[in-house]
Amino acid sequence: IFDAFHPVKGQLRFRIRIGEEKADKKLWWQAIIHNNPMSLEELSKLMRGVSKEEIQHVKEKFIKGSSYTVSSALTKAMGAVARMYSSASPVSTPERFDAILKYAWLDRLEKKAFLVTPEQMERIRISKKAGPFIVRLTPRETKLRKPVWRDQPINLNLPLDPAGFNFSKVKAEEILLPEVMLSKNKWRVIINAAPCETYASLLVPEFTTNQYLSKSDVAGFVEYLSGTYAYVFYHSLWAAASMNSKHFQIYYSKPYLFNFISNPSHSIQEKMGDIWFGRGFGYPSNLLTLSGNNREMLVEGLWRVIDYLQTRNMPFNLQGIGRQIVVIPVAQEISPLSPNQYWGASEHSGVPSIMEKE
């Protein structure tokens, strides 16, 4: 007798007789035996993509009973999050920060804070290798909203529409980390209500503004990268941003792009001060890379690039991890696979999200 723990299905109990596994697999692997909830082959497919953290979270819930809650533990942890960037205490580590975020994410999943059904959440676990890239399904088959600015002349500094949805209108249960200090400004991490992968979240400022970056935002982006092992993405308008409300996207799966640029033969590098600037080649997107250990210089270099693009209304994607940052100018945001889908930072990094299963 053994139990499997799944974030959507919960606790699943299975039985198999000792020695049964020596028989033909059709009799014990592919068939449903002993009134099990599914075949072991189906269980194997179901558990693909489920992380250790998700399994442990569900396991703890069932072991401790249905009254088990993590809210008190999260409450104690939140104070540490607010201090982590200015404190040298043991809590100010990427491991600790990411663990708190992931635990909060699983808690919101359990409490059904996401705007997707369990069946839709199962779609995000379906992926397929395509050369060096990973193609995955989005939770929904259609996009909920079409950007109102799509057919207008490009204006990256398009004013925020206060009457439309923006991230000042999120609910309390959608907030994962309520206060993260970045570049002396308050930010918060919230759920991505229709995530494309486990732990996918959004970083948004305390005071909502349009999807247009200031130098302070760039400094906050670089500072956030120093305190996490996540990959952080940004889309300008006309470069796959679906909302004109300032936000960065947070992912934990490693995209192919960062393996690509780690190969010295894939870029031409030039050092300016303490920063390395590079131009990638041999990749399906135009790549400008920046790296360096001097955070102030990295902010300054990145800001000059972004300011150049924004003031000239040149749409772009931005992505980074640690001290490695990639800027991708975007000429066309519509997916080459579907006229109803946008091609953003995730796609340019080698993880295309596809709405249509076919």
Side-chain angles (χ1 to χ4, degrees), residues 77-118:
M78 293 309 177
V81 175
R83 301 189 304 272
M84 65 171 296
Y85 289 100
S86 59
S87 168
S89 66
V91 300
S92 54
T93 64
E95 293 88 351
R96 177 63 173 162
F97 180 82
D98 291 340
I100 294 171
L101 189 156
K102 290 179 178 180
Y103 210 58
W105 194 97
L106 293 172
D107 178 66
R108 302 311 187 274
L109 178 66
E110 179 186 333
K111 293 176 179 175
K112 298 180 172 56
F114 295 87
L115 300 180
V116 288
T117 65

